Amino acid sequence: MHAMLAKGQEPRSEEAPFSILDDDGNVRGGVQAPEVSDEKAIALYRGLLQVRLVDDRMMKLQRQGRLGFYMLSMGEEATHFGGAYPLRASDWIFPSYREPGAFFWRGYSIKDYTNQLFGNAEDPVKGRQMPVHHSAKWINMVSISSPVGTQIPQAVGMAWAAKISKKEDVALVYFGEGATSTGQFHVGMNFAGVYQAPVVFFCRNNGWAISTSGDRQTASSSFAIKALAYGMPGIRVDGNDLLAIIAVMEDAVERARKGLGPTLIEAVTYRRGGHSSSDDPSQYRDPAEVVRWEAHDPIERWRRYLEQRKLWSEALHEKFTKEITDELMVALKHAETVGAPPVESLFDDVFAELPPHLLEQRAELLAMPRAKSGHGS
Amino acid sequence: MHAMLAKGQEPRSEEAPFSILDDDGNVRGGVQAPEVSDEKAIALYRGLLQVRLVDDRMMKLQRQGRLGFYMLSMGEEATHFGGAYPLRASDWIFPSYREPGAFFWRGYSIKDYTNQLFGNAEDPVKGRQMPVHHSAKWINMVSISSPVGTQIPQAVGMAWAAKISKKEDVALVYFGEGATSTGQFHVGMNFAGVYQAPVVFFCRNNGWAISTSGDRQTASSSFAIKALAYGMPGIRVDGNDLLAIIAVMEDAVERARKGLGPTLIEAVTYRRGGHSSSDDPSQYRDPAEVVRWEAHDPIERWRRYLEQRKLWSEALHEKFTKEITDELMVALKHAETVGAPPVESLFDDVFAELPPHLLEQRAELLAMPRAKSGHGS
Amino acid sequence: MPVMNIIQAVNDALKLEMRRDARVVVLGEDVGKFGGVFRATSGLFEEFGKDRVMDTPLAEAGIIGAAIGMALYGLRPVPEIQFADFIYPAYDQIVNELAKFRYRSGGQYPAPVVIRTPYGGGIRGGHYHSQSPEAYFVHTPGLKVVVPSNPYDAKGLLLSAIRGEDPVIFLEPKRVYRAARGEVPEGDYTVPLGEAKIVRSGSQLTVLTYGAMTHTCLEAAKQSEAAGFDPEIVELRTLLPLDAETVLQSVRKTGRVVIAHEAPKTCGYGAELAALIAERALLSLEAPINRVAGFDTPFPYTLENEYLPSPDRVAAAIKQTATF
Amino acid sequence: MPVMNIIQAVNDALKLEMRRDARVVVLGEDVGKFGGVFRATSGLFEEFGKDRVMDTPLAEAGIIGAAIGMALYGLRPVPEIQFADFIYPAYDQIVNELAKFRYRSGGQYPAPVVIRTPYGGGIRGGHYHSQSPEAYFVHTPGLKVVVPSNPYDAKGLLLSAIRGEDPVIFLEPKRVYRAARGEVPEGDYTVPLGEAKIVRSGSQLTVLTYGAMTHTCLEAAKQSEAAGFDPEIVELRTLLPLDAETVLQSVRKTGRVVIAHEAPKTCGYGAELAALIAERALLSLEAPINRVAGFDTPFPYTLENEYLPSPDRVAAAIKQTATF
Ligand SMILES: Cc1ncc(C[n+]2csc(CCOP(=O)(O)OP(=O)(O)O)c2C)c(N)n1
Ligand SMILES: Cc1ncc(C[n+]2csc(CCOP(=O)(O)OP(=O)(O)O)c2C)c(N)n1
Ligand SMILES: [Mg+2]
Ligand SMILES: [Mg+2]
């Protein structure tokens, strides 16, 4: 166990979150870092970079009016990988809308990603949801929902089902600190405590919920402390320190898998961009805050760590950048040329089979002249 | 301050709840008891007795088929008075269904009470709700609801409104330990913490929620500890010790009134009867548990305390018993003779004024032959 | 064949299916050792143990939220909501999540959860133990809504619901939980969803109803018969998908319609039935469509018998419509 | 007279009423300093301060639960729910508590809360930023339901709602939040609840609609006019209480009815309108009642334009019904 607090021990917000790497990528003295192989360490770097590059591109497309909507996660990328990395492929992830890296880590392609954003005929969710609401059953990534917090009790149910089914699978559920205010957070955490469900609650505390700052969400001394209300351990971790997140996640997953119950992780990070492409954060927060957090960039920190391990080079970086960019360009071109899903697909998947009233409504629509439908913008 | 824990200090269930009186009515050494005048101490005794006698009678009536439904609070009476006593008349109480003593303390008469149970034409709620769902605006007792937990955010709203309105009024909200599992508990507590609303959360931990024992509701080490998740103090108190409850309530009300924010009180007591007249607890719990708790009867403890203060006598007890019983008999006789509310009242109070469709529906009903309507059974 | 009441039939269906299919689990408040406040899950805990019959904390959002997660993983959860009136804390999970999971995931994540809950008035429960919320669910695409009225259908419909691939709101008419008794085959059989039943053939007018009101309408029919009328009573059994064919056939035959339900009239399920008929069978109509429903007030306590559509009220509507 | 869009008109009403009545307070997610995600509360925080314009934690149940408590105490809260799609966590507070408080307390505790929330599709928001939940609230006794379509009515209806003594669900058509512009008197005026408006007189058939669909229907009417039809368009403005007189008068005049709304068809508000007409004006009808509504699927993303009833679809229904 690297950093886990004993049950009932009280984390405090005044205390610095658990951290392994300093901003220069050095392992702090006295802490035991998890083992990450050279290969994986590099793959993680590539993943971080991919999220950053993809986000960047998509925001530009959105500004150009080529994409309807986007949500970026600049500055929070370490949470995506720190959460997903310690899991087995058979474990399930219940994501919120701000962890695309968790999808990528499990093999969701840039092409899948882009098709979803454009809601085209090849979108894995068949153009049914807004951009950034992915779903990928083949890699145990559960369908993202807009309503905040609803995935929390669902993740508990899945984990509990695994336990009932005598499987070793673990659930990881991501949410923002704003989500801790919902009733869903409470009932999910409470059920998990009572049933000792193998679930890890991952709170990305990025400081903001749209225009609402973290200190307006709760008067508690931290988000991690809320774990005590459910008889489970809670731990604060530096959300921009990938190695530290991996460490606390490994502990939490191990506990879950051993039948020792759930854990709440509060990863302290910062939402450097707007809430979404519809948001303008300069209206409600001091830009200096953003600048301060840029100094703690999680990708730069990982880069320096790799450098220390002699795993990073400018050339490698360029190679990855090119690979990712090329893949992205191909995917975008493809996504924009693929048409909208067929009109009749509107009626599929409401139920397993089309009941009579939907058959009628489908016939009615198909008999009408086709409406203009601009997918992707 | 008698017993308040410092903010952030952690109460533990292993620790005995705060207590002042032992089972023999002695003030324990080393604690500072609140001052309760002779007159008030006796009035409290009369109140406790009244709840017990009324409950007893109503359960009998229910068994005889003269009353449709009843919920008794045997063994939990101290919580009714300990909560209500330290408040001013201008403070508001949001009760659950198991604190009739709080109504009585504020002057709700046995006649009001009985009329409500019978849902007759003199019922303060006009026969609209099940028995034990009282409402008495004239004494700031808010309408009782069946859905568990809904009153919690409402109480916070009222308290917050008082603060906004620069009034000194405080809210007291009662609920069972089962209610702490609801989303409503969480959102209410959280709002109260954020707005530092002048509200006291009073959790009657009576060990059971219908057939579900307290340890199935949550894995936390106590209910009081949940306060930490909202940045407020939480305290466990012996729920059968009226003096101890008064002490912690006085602290909590003082804090609220001074603008120091909310408090969670967990009063540890026991539901000696069934959940309601429809319930048979022998199906799910060991009767020995009930016997054990009889030894900690809150009324007997208060009686012994009065005895120590030379305020109690058999004669006084007999006098009170007779007064209460007489009043009850008159009220019952009255309640059973008063008829049902007028049929047309069915349509009143849906809105401030009857809209056209309700005028029509009323006319329709009044034109029909009268249905059989058995109130009170 | 054994004679059962509805509670026993529901219990029988659950036992049968839990024996047949290890994926079926039951969860809810007091459903375990206690067997549920109406005893519908009685004996399950003893037979199937705490991993398949789960007492939950008091939180409907948690019950349904967890059931969804279980269903995604491959189980067949049959959660119980103690009273339909307490389903609203789970409304977000039901309406925004359960109903949309298959659709929003492009068919990747079906969530076959069957929510059982007792509904309706007539037990002197006031507005929080008497509501009939069916219209809220029928209006929500992605949910099937089933309401039996007798033990035979209760068992057969519940088995169909659990074996189906879609989320189902299964509303149990608690007013006749014990009163409605009848023969129920011991073993396995199903009643398919989406099929209405003509419970009384008649020539003169069509009464559309479901759930506990089926019994009220049958009683009303007796009165009407005595007064010389001949109503046909169609019990819908499944509200969504509706067996529109059976409904429209009957209406085309009789040309007159009375619709009866307990829920408030305005925007109730009867509105949909009336609208469907006004759309598909208007020219067959010889009289205005007559809705007999709960009034548009919260459900009362003392005046419950005035509130609930009585056999008298239904009979009066039959007379009015038949003689229009 | 200044020209405003609906957001500005709502903002104007809030400012006016908050100046006039110190009991009026606003609360919700991001409504404070930020002025709401649609800017409807912009400037209120600066003028009235944090005690009357309150940013809340992310919990709709808390927003409405607290608003109820405030109203009981005597304030006039006007909570905002950021999107109608996110109102469901507060459904229990709305349906079981807010709607029933006056009734269940025997008239002792009125709870005049006005819940403002943007509803409807057409902004490419997928199913969680597009729903039209009006039927859920119309079916709940104790709530009034109001849906404006233009800035003048938005201001006047909102002022009536806040000054009334009842809880109101005030649904704002976000699709035309900015597009629907018009003259709005600067000072105080009200538009009474419960009065429909004939927005186009016609002789041949009646189109019943409300909210954003009013504009769709007006566009459809232009097409229909060009094709030689003469529809009358009745905009309901208040769904409950409904101005049944205006509706029925128009139907009795024209004998033909098209009903248009965005919400799913089955058990939508259109069902109630059709049922009312089939009950009260059946003999005037010369054609089946034609509902043009959202399909019975969750609201889609890419195919939103196919899902939403378009002017073409309404015009087709007008033609079909007029020529029946
Ligand atoms: C139940 C609900 N209420 C409101 C919203 C609107 N909304 C979308 S995201 C958001 C803020 C979420 O903040 P947080 O949980 O901290 O996540 P972050 O965006 O910071 O990742 C809000 C209020 C919603 N989606 N769901
Ligand atoms: C939301 C909701 N769910 C379920 C119920 C049914 N129910 C009524 S009381 C109760 C148990 C409440 O237990 P607790 O909160 O401990 O209060 P107590 O009865 O012990 O005083 C339950 C489950 C309800 N009234 N409301
Ligand atoms: Mg956040
Ligand atoms: Mg209890």
Side-chain angles (χ1 to χ4, degrees):
Chain A
M1 305 287 262
H2 306 284
M4 189 59 61
L5 292 174
K7 176 164 170 166
Q9 197 178 329
E10 184 185 335
R12 296 196 164 278
S13 59
E14 312 88 53
E15 279 174 29
F18 175 73
S19 158
I20 295 182
L21 297 179
D22 67 18
D23 280 328
D24 296 324
N26 302 308
V27 173
R28 292 177 202 274
V31 289
Q32 195 198 323
E35 305 257 352
V36 177
S37 70
D38 290 356
E39 192 193 354
K40 298 267 178 179
I42 293 169
L44 287 166
Y45 181 74
R46 193 182 189 287
L48 292 163
L49 194 65
Q50 178 166 319
V51 174
R52 186 68 59 92
L53 291 170
V54 168
D55 269 1
D56 197 54
R57 189 85 218 159
M58 296 306 173
M59 282 303 287
K60 287 208 182 90
L61 286 188
Q62 200 282 332
R63 299 283 176 241
Q64 293 165 10
R66 283 166 66 196
L67 181 62
F69 175 82
Y70 196 67
M71 296 180 92
L72 85 169
S73 35
M74 187 178 27
E76 304 179 47
E77 296 89 347
T79 62
H80 308 185
F81 296 91
Y85 172 87
L87 296 178
R88 298 182 186 160
S90 53
D91 294 329
W92 286 41
I93 299 184
F94 288 72
S96 86
Y97 43 71
R98 219 185 288 282
E99 301 93 12
F103 282 82
F104 291 147
W105 185 252
R106 295 190 148 202
Y108 195 67
S109 69
I110 292 182
K111 192 170 162 187
D112 292 334
Y113 189 79
T114 313
N115 287 333
Q116 197 287 324
L117 296 182
F118 282 76
N120 64 24
E122 293 181 13
D123 169 8
V125 306
K126 304 185 187 171
R128 301 263 173 74
Q129 288 223 70
M130 280 182 94
V132 311
H133 289 69
H134 306 273
S135 179
K137 172 106 178 180
W138 67 96
I139 48 173
N140 292 330
M141 297 296 300
V142 177
S143 166
I144 297 172
S145 184
S146 305
V148 167
T150 47
Q151 75 276 27
I152 302 175
Q154 293 164 11
V156 176
M158 176 260 135
W160 186 8
K163 193 176 168 182
I164 291 170
S165 311
K166 314 255 184 295
K167 299 269 183 62
E168 283 206 331
D169 302 339
V170 164
L172 167 66
V173 55
Y174 280 109
F175 48 88
E177 85 293 343
T180 65
S181 296
T182 65
Q184 306 282 354
F185 167 78
H186 178 68
V187 302
M189 294 282 289
N190 196 43
F191 271 54
V194 168
Y195 293 102
Q196 293 291 292
V199 52
V200 182
F201 298 93
F202 196 109
C203 175
R204 268 187 306 92
N205 175 7
N206 64 7
W208 293 91
I210 308 186
S211 78
T212 308
S213 59
D215 58 352
R216 300 291 294 176
Q217 290 298 345
T218 187
S220 66
S221 56
S222 74
F223 291 95
I225 197 178
K226 291 177 186 283
L228 291 183
Y230 313 101
M232 69 176 82
I235 183 156
R236 301 188 91 206
V237 62
D238 181 338
N240 290 5
D241 177 347
L242 180 49
L243 210 52
I245 302 174
I246 289 174
V248 300
M249 269 295 299
E250 281 183 345
D251 287 353
V253 172
E254 190 187 324
R255 288 190 70 247
R257 204 153 348 250
K258 278 192 179 151
L260 300 174
T263 305
L264 171 63
I265 293 173
E266 174 190 354
V268 183
T269 178
Y270 189 76
R271 194 196 78 204
R272 271 157 55 190
H275 170 68
S276 73
S277 56
S278 318
D279 182 37
D280 172 10
S282 73
Q283 304 234 4
Y284 52 78
R285 73 180 181 190
D286 184 356
E289 205 176 273
V290 183
V291 175
R292 269 200 305 283
W293 277 89
E294 279 167 5
H296 307 298
D297 187 69
I299 305 185
E300 177 59 15
R301 200 183 307 186
W302 193 252
R303 192 193 66 72
R304 291 181 184 171
Y305 170 63
L306 292 194
E307 235 172 5
Q308 308 253 1
R309 283 179 63 175
K310 309 262 183 289
L311 296 174
W312 189 88
S313 69
E314 195 67 47
L316 187 77
H317 177 83
E318 289 311 324
K319 175 171 166 281
F320 285 166
T321 304
K322 182 163 181 333
E323 282 171 11
I324 293 164
T325 312
D326 289 352
E327 196 181 334
L328 187 51
M329 288 306 138
V330 173
L332 275 171
K333 197 158 178 185
H334 180 77
E336 287 186 310
T337 50
V338 175
V343 187
E344 59 272 26
S345 74
L346 189 53
F347 301 91
D348 296 338
D349 304 318
V350 181
F351 298 104
E353 287 169 23
L354 263 74
H357 67 291
L358 289 183
L359 283 169
E360 285 167 17
Q361 292 181 10
R362 186 175 73 178
E364 196 189 309
L365 177 59
L366 291 176
M368 293 276 305
R370 178 78 202 272
K372 273 160 290 165
S373 125
H375 72 278
S377 70
Chain B
M1 306 286 263
H2 305 283
M4 190 59 60
L5 291 173
K7 176 167 170 166
Q9 197 177 328
E10 184 186 336
R12 296 197 165 276
S13 58
E14 312 87 54
E15 279 173 31
F18 176 72
S19 158
I20 295 182
L21 297 179
D22 65 19
D23 280 329
D24 295 324
N26 302 308
V27 173
R28 292 176 201 274
V31 290
Q32 195 197 324
E35 304 259 351
V36 177
S37 70
D38 290 357
E39 192 193 355
K40 297 268 177 179
I42 293 169
L44 286 167
Y45 181 73
R46 194 183 189 285
L48 291 163
L49 194 64
Q50 177 165 320
V51 174
R52 186 68 58 92
L53 291 171
V54 168
D55 269 1
D56 196 55
R57 188 87 219 155
M58 295 307 172
M59 281 304 286
K60 288 210 183 86
L61 284 187
Q62 200 281 333
R63 298 284 176 238
Q64 292 164 11
R66 283 165 67 195
L67 181 62
F69 175 83
Y70 195 68
M71 297 180 94
L72 86 168
S73 35
M74 185 177 32
E76 303 180 46
E77 297 89 347
T79 62
H80 308 184
F81 296 91
Y85 171 89
L87 295 177
R88 299 182 186 160
S90 55
D91 295 329
W92 286 40
I93 299 183
F94 289 72
S96 85
Y97 43 71
R98 219 185 289 283
E99 302 92 13
F103 282 82
F104 292 146
W105 185 252
R106 294 189 151 203
Y108 195 67
S109 69
I110 292 183
K111 192 171 163 186
D112 292 332
Y113 189 79
T114 314
N115 286 333
Q116 197 287 324
L117 296 184
F118 282 76
N120 65 24
E122 292 181 14
D123 169 8
V125 306
K126 304 186 186 170
R128 301 260 174 75
Q129 289 223 69
M130 279 182 96
V132 311
H133 289 68
H134 306 271
S135 178
K137 172 105 179 181
W138 67 95
I139 48 174
N140 292 331
M141 298 296 300
V142 177
S143 166
I144 297 171
S145 185
S146 307
V148 166
T150 48
Q151 76 277 25
I152 302 176
Q154 294 164 10
V156 176
M158 176 261 135
W160 186 7
K163 192 175 167 183
I164 292 169
S165 310
K166 315 253 182 298
K167 299 269 181 61
E168 285 207 329
D169 302 339
V170 164
L172 167 66
V173 56
Y174 280 109
F175 48 88
E177 85 293 343
T180 64
S181 296
T182 65
Q184 306 282 354
F185 168 79
H186 178 68
V187 301
M189 293 282 289
N190 196 44
F191 271 54
V194 168
Y195 293 103
Q196 293 290 294
V199 52
V200 182
F201 298 93
F202 196 110
C203 175
R204 268 187 306 92
N205 174 6
N206 63 5
W208 293 91
I210 309 186
S211 78
T212 307
S213 60
D215 59 352
R216 298 293 294 176
Q217 290 298 343
T218 187
S220 66
S221 56
S222 74
F223 291 95
I225 198 179
K226 291 175 185 285
L228 291 184
Y230 312 101
M232 68 175 84
I235 184 157
R236 299 188 92 206
V237 63
D238 181 339
N240 290 5
D241 177 348
L242 180 48
L243 209 53
I245 303 174
I246 289 174
V248 298
M249 270 295 299
E250 281 182 347
D251 287 354
V253 172
E254 190 187 324
R255 288 188 70 246
R257 203 148 359 245
K258 276 189 179 156
L260 300 175
T263 305
L264 171 63
I265 293 173
E266 174 191 354
V268 183
T269 176
Y270 190 77
R271 195 197 79 202
R272 272 159 52 193
H275 171 68
S276 73
S277 56
S278 318
D279 182 36
D280 172 11
S282 73
Q283 304 234 4
Y284 52 78
R285 73 180 180 190
D286 183 357
E289 204 177 273
V290 182
V291 174
R292 272 200 305 282
W293 277 89
E294 279 169 5
H296 309 297
D297 186 69
I299 306 185
E300 177 59 15
R301 199 184 306 188
W302 192 252
R303 192 193 66 72
R304 291 179 186 174
Y305 170 63
L306 292 195
E307 234 173 5
Q308 309 252 2
R309 283 179 63 174
K310 308 260 180 293
L311 296 174
W312 189 86
S313 68
E314 195 67 46
L316 186 77
H317 177 82
E318 290 309 322
K319 175 169 166 285
F320 285 165
T321 303
K322 185 168 182 330
E323 283 171 11
I324 293 164
T325 311
D326 288 353
E327 196 180 335
L328 186 52
M329 289 304 138
V330 172
L332 274 172
K333 197 159 180 182
H334 180 78
E336 287 187 309
T337 51
V338 174
V343 187
E344 59 272 26
S345 73
L346 188 53
F347 301 91
D348 296 338
D349 304 318
V350 181
F351 297 105
E353 286 169 24
L354 264 73
H357 67 292
L358 288 182
L359 284 167
E360 284 167 20
Q361 292 181 9
R362 185 174 75 180
E364 195 189 310
L365 177 59
L366 291 175
M368 292 279 303
R370 181 76 201 273
K372 274 159 290 164
S373 125
H375 71 280
S377 72
Chain C
M1 244 192 288
V3 169
M4 295 185 188
N5 64 29
I6 295 181
I7 297 171
Q8 292 162 332
V10 164
N11 187 263
D12 196 43
L14 291 171
K15 274 197 185 133
L16 187 148
E17 201 56 13
M18 290 181 81
R19 284 176 197 153
R20 222 184 62 94
D21 184 348
R23 299 171 306 167
V24 179
V25 298
V26 158
L27 66 160
E29 293 154 14
D30 305 296
V31 299
K33 205 169 157 196
F34 188 45
V37 296
F38 288 104
R39 334 291 307 142
T41 57
S42 145
L44 301 184
F45 182 83
E46 289 73 9
E47 180 168 350
F48 304 103
K50 71 171 179 37
D51 273 356
R52 293 183 64 199
V53 185
M54 296 163 269
D55 276 320
T56 66
L58 205 171
E60 289 75 12
I63 295 169
I64 304 302
I68 293 172
M70 292 173 166
L72 299 179
Y73 192 69
L75 298 187
R76 292 284 169 146
V78 187
E80 173 180 300
I81 298 294
Q82 206 161 72
F83 286 84
D85 314 72
F86 305 137
I87 206 166
Y88 305 120
Y91 204 68
D92 193 30
Q93 285 288 353
I94 297 172
V95 160
N96 264 342
E97 298 289 321
L98 181 60
K100 295 178 172 65
F101 234 109
R102 181 192 288 271
Y103 195 78
R104 81 174 193 215
S105 65
Q108 297 181 65
Y109 282 105
V113 173
V114 178
I115 304 177
R116 289 183 42 249
T117 187
Y119 86 97
I123 63 152
R124 303 195 63 70
H127 32 248
Y128 295 123
H129 299 82
S130 304
Q131 294 175 64
S132 295
E134 63 274 14
Y136 293 141
F137 299 112
V138 171
H139 185 52
T140 305
L143 301 175
K144 293 185 170 173
V145 182
V146 176
V147 196
S149 77
N150 62 62
Y152 180 89
D153 285 347
K155 178 172 169 184
L157 289 166
L158 184 53
L159 287 173
S160 287
I162 301 176
R163 293 177 193 173
E165 303 299 324
D166 299 308
V168 177
I169 309 291
F170 194 86
L171 296 166
E172 298 172 359
K174 65 174 169 296
R175 169 149 53 119
V176 294
Y177 248 165
R178 292 188 185 83
R181 298 172 59 78
E183 293 198 334
V184 175
E186 257 178 281
D188 192 0
Y189 69 96
T190 57
V191 174
L193 305 193
E195 291 187 11
K197 190 165 90 182
I198 296 176
V199 294
R200 185 190 190 285
S201 314
S203 58
Q204 213 175 7
L205 112 175
T206 300
V207 179
L208 301 175
T209 194
Y210 50 91
M213 281 298 293
T214 307
H215 302 278
T216 308
C217 290
L218 284 167
E219 249 187 274
K222 276 193 213 139
Q223 290 185 28
S224 302
E225 206 179 304
F229 299 108
D230 181 27
E232 173 149 303
I233 301 181
V234 181
E235 184 198 349
L236 303 174
R237 302 196 293 188
T238 301
L239 306 192
L240 198 123
L242 172 67
D243 181 354
E245 265 331 291
T246 300
V247 169
L248 292 171
Q249 253 172 39
S250 176
V251 172
R252 289 195 187 107
K253 178 176 80 175
T254 64
R256 293 165 197 268
V257 186
V258 168
I259 300 167
H261 62 61
E262 286 185 25
K265 181 178 184 181
T266 296
C267 252
Y269 188 68
E272 177 56 33
L273 293 172
L276 177 82
I277 293 164
E279 210 166 68
R280 304 287 176 86
L282 187 86
L283 300 187
S284 310
L285 287 181
E286 289 161 40
I289 299 175
N290 203 335
R291 283 182 288 167
V292 185
F295 297 113
D296 286 316
T297 74
F299 201 101
Y301 173 67
T302 307
L303 298 173
E304 139 162 88
N305 291 341
E306 280 78 6
Y307 181 87
L308 279 174
S310 59
D312 289 356
R313 253 171 84 198
V314 176
I318 289 175
K319 182 175 166 188
Q320 191 189 30
T321 302
T323 58
F324 180 83
Chain D
M1 245 189 289
V3 169
M4 293 185 188
N5 64 28
I6 294 180
I7 297 171
Q8 292 163 331
V10 164
N11 187 263
D12 196 44
L14 290 171
K15 275 197 183 131
L16 187 147
E17 201 55 12
M18 290 183 80
R19 285 175 195 152
R20 221 184 62 94
D21 183 349
R23 299 171 306 167
V24 179
V25 298
V26 159
L27 66 160
E29 294 155 14
D30 306 296
V31 299
K33 205 170 157 193
F34 188 47
V37 294
F38 288 103
R39 335 290 308 141
T41 56
S42 144
L44 300 183
F45 182 84
E46 290 73 9
E47 179 168 351
F48 304 103
K50 70 171 179 42
D51 274 355
R52 291 184 66 200
V53 186
M54 295 163 271
D55 275 321
T56 65
L58 204 172
E60 288 75 12
I63 295 169
I64 304 303
I68 292 172
M70 292 174 164
L72 299 178
Y73 193 70
L75 299 187
R76 292 285 170 145
V78 187
E80 173 180 299
I81 298 294
Q82 207 161 71
F83 285 84
D85 313 72
F86 305 136
I87 206 166
Y88 304 120
Y91 204 68
D92 193 31
Q93 285 287 352
I94 296 173
V95 159
N96 264 341
E97 296 289 321
L98 181 60
K100 296 178 171 65
F101 235 111
R102 181 193 287 273
Y103 194 77
R104 80 173 193 215
S105 65
Q108 296 182 64
Y109 282 105
V113 173
V114 178
I115 304 176
R116 288 183 42 250
T117 187
Y119 87 96
I123 63 152
R124 303 195 61 68
H127 31 247
Y128 297 122
H129 299 82
S130 304
Q131 294 174 67
S132 295
E134 64 274 13
Y136 293 141
F137 300 112
V138 170
H139 184 52
T140 306
L143 301 176
K144 292 185 171 173
V145 181
V146 177
V147 195
S149 76
N150 62 63
Y152 179 89
D153 284 347
K155 178 172 170 184
L157 288 167
L158 184 53
L159 288 172
S160 286
I162 303 175
R163 292 175 194 174
E165 303 299 324
D166 298 308
V168 177
I169 309 291
F170 194 86
L171 296 166
E172 298 172 0
K174 64 174 169 301
R175 170 148 55 119
V176 294
Y177 248 165
R178 293 189 182 84
R181 298 174 57 81
E183 294 199 333
V184 174
E186 258 179 282
D188 192 0
Y189 71 96
T190 57
V191 174
L193 306 194
E195 291 188 11
K197 192 165 90 181
I198 296 175
V199 294
R200 183 187 191 284
S201 314
S203 58
Q204 213 175 7
L205 111 175
T206 300
V207 178
L208 302 175
T209 194
Y210 50 92
M213 281 298 293
T214 307
H215 302 277
T216 308
C217 291
L218 283 167
E219 248 186 273
K222 275 193 213 141
Q223 291 185 27
S224 302
E225 206 179 304
F229 300 108
D230 182 26
E232 173 148 303
I233 301 181
V234 181
E235 185 199 350
L236 301 175
R237 301 198 291 191
T238 303
L239 306 192
L240 197 123
L242 171 68
D243 182 353
E245 265 331 292
T246 300
V247 169
L248 292 172
Q249 254 171 40
S250 176
V251 173
R252 288 195 187 107
K253 180 175 79 175
T254 64
R256 292 166 196 267
V257 186
V258 168
I259 300 168
H261 60 61
E262 285 185 26
K265 181 178 182 181
T266 296
C267 253
Y269 189 68
E272 178 56 33
L273 292 171
L276 179 82
I277 293 163
E279 208 166 68
R280 303 288 176 86
L282 185 87
L283 301 187
S284 311
L285 286 182
E286 289 161 41
I289 299 176
N290 203 335
R291 284 182 287 168
V292 184
F295 297 112
D296 286 316
T297 75
F299 202 100
Y301 173 67
T302 307
L303 298 173
E304 139 161 89
N305 291 342
E306 279 77 7
Y307 182 87
L308 279 173
S310 60
D312 288 356
R313 252 172 85 197
V314 176
I318 289 174
K319 181 174 165 190
Q320 189 188 33
T321 303
T323 58
F324 179 83

